[in-house]
Amino acid sequence: MRALVSVLCLLPVPLWADDIPLRSAVTEATLYPQGATVTRTVAFAAPAGQHDLILTDLPQNTPLSSVRVAVDGASMGSVTTRNDYVPPRNPDDSAAIKAARDKVKTLEQSLRDAEAKVETIRLEAQAAQARIGFLQQLGEGQAVAGMDAAALRDMVAMIGEETLAAQKTALDARLRAGAADRGLADLRHELDQARAALRALVPLDTPRAMLAVAISSETATEGQVTVTYSINDAGWQPVYDLRLTRETGALKIERGALVRQATGENWRDIALTLSTSRPADQTAPSDIWPWLRRIMDPNAPMPKSLSRGAAADAVAELAAPQSEPMVVQQAAARFDGLAVTYAYPGTVSVASDADRVRVALGTLSLKADIVAQAVPLSDDRAFLMADVTNTADELILPTPEARFYLDGRFIGQRFLEMIPAGGQADLSFGVIDGLRLARVIPQRQEGDKGVFTRSSALDETVRITVDNLTAQSWPIRLLDRVPYSEQEDLQIDWTAQPTPSETDVDDKRGVLEWRFDLPAGDMQTVTLDYALEWPDGKVLR
């Protein structure tokens, strides 16, 4: 007894009766495109006095500096966090984990027994092969040297019969072993699934972090601890199905979200909120610094303090950012003028580093102007484009998970750029095979012009045709280009027939646009003429 008392005296104070161990679980999560804010809650009961509430089941990679704690039902004191040397937790496993482990053990034993039977059959084949080897050696031994013809004939017949029987036995064993082994495919697959299910449960014997919360109360009390922290190993990705009705120009964007998390623990039946806020991105404007300019003698060496490398290093150091610690349930959207949040009405379960759970976010209805866009410089057919303005009070996030449908027909999947509220976008809904494009250069002259001007020149004519082979009229947007110059010595003149509807499209110099309606069966021709002239001795690039 004295030895036991001595051991207890050596134990640290927090391990005495004042400690109240608790087991918490994730109850809420707000996910951003990258990162999440996670909330854990756990109820407690404590007698009067001072106690430490011990939570030892936080994921080990929890950013402890971001942990915030609130206590309801008692006065809260200090909060201690630790992600190493964590006291042992309750070793009890959940019923689901025990059942999963038992299933894996049962299937592993069944597979071992079945594989042993297969090996037994293979041993029959090996034994038959050994008999064949013995018979071959028997026919080659010196024992046959003194045999008469009749005895030798009997021995040869016996060896042949036994060898044939042994070969049949070996073949039969190999066939039965192969069939038995193939029959284990379902059992192996079932075992793989059982192991995957066990891994998805993430048993509590994985490393965890600890949280100790000091509380005090003058009377016995019951309450709740709420723990909130931010993580990087979670997020959501938007999923869009864009459905365009060509006749009306109606564009419906069916929105969804793929939810993922790799925190090291499973989330079961949590309240889920999705936010378009992006705390992982830049959250403050860049700074701007004074720009000092000096003049000096062109032959004087540049002072070290003004050297290009030193100046660049100084600016980079000043400008560097400072680091800082089918009824479908649909999420309801809330817009606060800066970001949109979607509160999912039910609960969601997400396995760590395994699941990609899809939830519905509702449908946006927009109006699109449809046009056939023709770029004969690169394409031989036109494409159906929807000119859309985002009239919703929320942005459409960028995602590679955007699928396009035209009149109910799947067109393809590709990356969708971000479309802010009020922003405009040109969305492609596939090729129009009946709108054929051609671009030819029937005339090209290059060489000296004149005897005395000592100049070089290039004259070029481009003929573009758009041929409507479909049975309907199409609004066409035709794009092409002419060269442009930023040098006085390089003179460029160009003409177009018909005249373009717009030049320098989207602030791209030399890019031209024609807009016209092309009836069924008609063809439109556009002719471009441009001339370049530069001084002799120069090279055109």
Side-chain angles (χ1 to χ4, degrees):
M1 177 64 72
R2 183 177 301 171
L4 176 61
V5 172
S6 300
V7 170
L8 292 176
C9 291
L10 293 175
L11 290 175
V13 174
L15 294 181
W16 285 75
D18 287 341
D19 284 353
I20 301 177
L22 301 174
R23 175 172 289 182
S24 66
V26 176
T27 54
E28 301 177 29
T30 298
L31 268 64
Y32 315 105
Q34 178 60 50
T37 298
V38 177
T39 300
R40 314 174 72 92
T41 58
V42 57
F44 70 89
Q50 297 183 351
H51 310 279
D52 282 344
L53 305 179
I54 308 297
L55 286 72
T56 58
D57 52 7
L58 276 69
Q60 190 179 36
N61 58 355
T62 301
L64 300 181
S65 61
S66 71
V67 171
R68 301 294 182 266
V69 180
V71 175
D72 181 23
S75 297
M76 187 178 77
S78 63
V79 176
T80 303
T81 56
R82 180 190 300 171
N83 59 11
D84 55 1
Y85 305 107
V86 177
R89 301 179 304 282
N90 188 339
D92 293 341
D93 291 333
S94 68
I97 293 176
K98 288 182 177 179
R101 282 180 173 157
D102 291 343
K103 184 175 182 179
V104 169
K105 290 180 180 178
T106 300
L107 291 173
E108 287 177 341
Q109 185 60 50
S110 298
L111 183 60
R112 283 193 295 268
D113 294 342
E115 288 177 338
K117 294 179 180 179
V118 174
E119 189 61 27
T120 300
I121 299 175
R122 291 195 175 116
L123 290 176
E124 294 180 19
Q126 294 177 8
Q129 287 297 132
R131 287 170 54 197
I132 294 171
F134 173 77
L135 291 169
Q136 290 175 344
Q137 293 178 356
L138 183 61
E140 298 172 356
Q142 294 182 356
V144 301
M147 287 185 176
D148 57 23
L152 184 59
R153 185 168 49 251
D154 292 342
M155 176 171 283
V156 169
M158 181 272 296
I159 292 176
E161 292 172 359
E162 292 296 327
T163 299
L164 178 60
Q167 288 176 339
K168 290 181 178 180
T169 300
L171 176 60
D172 178 69
R174 286 195 296 270
L175 293 175
R176 286 188 291 118
D181 188 67
R182 288 190 296 274
L184 300 182
D186 291 341
L187 181 58
R188 291 190 176 103
H189 179 66
E190 187 178 1
L191 177 58
D192 289 341
Q193 289 184 321
R195 286 170 173 167
L198 178 60
R199 287 195 301 271
L201 290 173
V202 189
L204 292 177
D205 55 6
T206 56
R208 293 297 172 111
M210 184 199 77
L211 177 70
V213 183
I215 63 167
S216 62
S217 176
E218 295 181 356
T219 60
T221 183
E222 295 182 355
Q224 178 176 279
V225 179
T226 301
V227 181
T228 303
Y229 50 89
S230 299
I231 58 172
N232 292 324
D233 298 330
W236 70 281
Q237 181 182 69
V239 180
Y240 298 126
D241 289 344
L242 296 92
R243 301 181 182 274
L244 177 64
T245 301
R246 185 173 54 175
E247 183 178 356
T248 62
L251 176 63
K252 293 186 179 297
I253 304 180
E254 298 174 359
R255 300 167 299 162
L258 290 178
V259 177
R260 58 173 177 78
Q261 62 99 354
T263 59
E265 66 176 340
N266 292 335
W267 296 349
R268 295 184 178 88
D269 300 326
I270 68 166
L272 178 66
T273 300
L274 305 178
S275 173
T276 60
S277 178
R278 287 162 289 173
D281 290 353
Q282 180 176 346
T283 57
S286 302
D287 207 344
I288 191 167
W289 303 96
W291 188 15
L292 175 64
R293 302 300 303 270
R294 293 182 179 181
I295 60 173
M296 60 184 65
D297 189 323
N299 297 321
M302 181 178 289
K304 183 176 181 181
S305 60
L306 293 180
S307 67
R308 185 172 299 176
D313 292 343
V315 172
E317 181 178 354
L318 290 173
Q322 302 298 314
S323 59
E324 299 178 359
M326 117 139 175
V327 175
V328 180
Q329 286 187 317
Q330 297 182 353
R334 298 191 304 272
F335 180 58
D336 62 5
L338 296 177
V340 179
T341 57
Y342 304 93
Y344 194 69
T347 59
V348 176
S349 297
V350 187
S352 177
D353 207 20
D355 289 346
R356 293 214 322 161
V357 179
R358 178 166 179 167
V359 296
L361 301 181
T363 301
L364 294 179
S365 295
L366 304 177
K367 182 67 175 179
D369 292 327
I370 297 176
V371 65
Q373 183 160 308
V375 186
L377 182 65
S378 303
D379 305 324
D380 61 357
R381 295 167 295 175
F383 287 79
L384 191 148
M385 304 294 293
D387 187 353
V388 179
T389 299
N390 182 9
T391 55
D393 289 334
E394 56 185 278
L395 59 81
I396 298 173
L397 289 169
T399 178
E401 299 285 348
R403 296 170 67 87
F404 292 77
Y405 298 83
L406 178 63
D407 295 332
R409 176 171 55 90
F410 176 62
I411 299 300
Q413 177 176 322
R414 65 179 181 278
F415 191 89
L416 180 68
E417 300 286 351
M418 183 176 70
I419 310 175
Q424 184 273 339
D426 292 321
L427 306 177
S428 175
F429 282 83
V431 67
I432 307 172
D433 289 313
L435 289 179
R436 310 298 296 186
L437 313 178
R439 189 181 193 272
V440 297
I441 304 177
Q443 178 180 341
R444 183 186 182 105
Q445 297 179 356
E446 186 173 359
D448 294 335
K449 285 182 66 176
V451 178
F452 303 104
T453 57
R454 299 182 60 80
S455 63
S456 295
L458 172 65
D459 296 335
E460 197 160 73
T461 296
V462 176
R463 182 173 294 116
I464 300 167
T465 58
V466 182
D467 193 4
N468 185 359
L469 304 179
T470 71
Q472 67 179 79
S473 177
W474 285 94
I476 304 294
R477 183 185 188 224
L478 173 64
L479 295 171
D480 212 282
R481 69 184 183 186
V482 291
Y484 75 94
S485 172
E486 294 181 345
Q487 297 174 299
E488 292 184 3
D489 289 342
L490 177 58
Q491 301 295 322
I492 300 178
D493 296 313
W494 64 270
T495 60
Q497 182 62 36
T499 303
S501 307
E502 185 180 347
T503 60
D504 295 340
V505 178
D506 297 331
D507 295 327
K508 300 174 183 177
R509 296 186 62 182
V511 177
L512 311 176
E513 175 185 290
W514 293 263
R515 285 186 178 264
F516 51 88
D517 291 329
L518 188 61
D522 278 10
M523 176 186 292
Q524 176 69 47
T525 300
V526 173
T527 303
L528 284 176
D529 291 292
Y530 45 85
L532 292 78
E533 187 172 354
W534 62 93
D536 191 23
K538 300 293 185 180
V539 178
L540 179 66
R541 299 295 186 192

